[in-house]
Amino acid sequence: MRHVAAYLMLVLGGNATPSADDVKGVLSSVGVEADDAQLKSLISSLEGKDLNELIEEGKKKLVNVGGGGRGGGAAGGAAGGAEAAAVEEKEEESEEESAGGAGGLFDDDEDDW
């Protein structure tokens, strides 16, 4: 993924066809070492292709994947629900108690605005 990101940054920066050395330069500038095998594979798979066209093709394929927009599954059974609510309520009370007493630093003297 780092190789693809560096490649895309180079294209966005105006280099329409970045070389392996270009990508290595970007990665090394941020202290990341390039994997030569992965980089060679990336460069050869993108050779002679228009990146914008590839992105558009990819968008069309993503439509078939779907995802998002659906609700999650239903919650588990009610067993232990009352206990959990009681513990949560106690935690909230203790948080409220400990939050006060900032010595007026945050104007916590309960003035009505």
Side-chain angles (χ1 to χ4, degrees):
M1 194 64 163
R2 62 180 175 243
H3 301 95
V4 173
Y7 189 94
L8 290 172
M9 288 192 318
L10 287 162
V11 171
L12 287 172
N15 184 347
T17 55
S19 68
D21 287 334
D22 294 333
V23 175
K24 283 182 181 180
V26 169
L27 293 175
S28 68
S29 72
V30 293
V32 175
E33 188 174 327
D35 181 317
D36 289 330
Q38 289 181 352
L39 184 55
K40 183 178 178 182
S41 174
L42 173 69
I43 297 297
S44 66
S45 67
L46 295 175
E47 189 174 345
K49 298 180 181 174
D50 182 279
L51 189 62
N52 291 320
E53 289 176 11
L54 291 174
I55 291 173
E56 287 303 315
E57 288 175 25
K59 284 182 184 179
K60 291 175 187 173
K61 290 179 182 180
L62 284 175
V63 169
N64 297 330
V65 175
R70 304 199 197 298
E83 282 183 27
V87 170
E88 187 177 319
E89 187 176 313
K90 286 182 184 178
E91 287 177 7
E92 287 179 15
E93 288 176 12
S94 62
E95 286 178 14
E96 290 174 5
E97 291 171 5
S98 66
L105 182 63
F106 299 107
D107 197 25
D108 59 351
D109 56 355
E110 299 183 22
D111 287 339
D112 291 329
W113 295 55

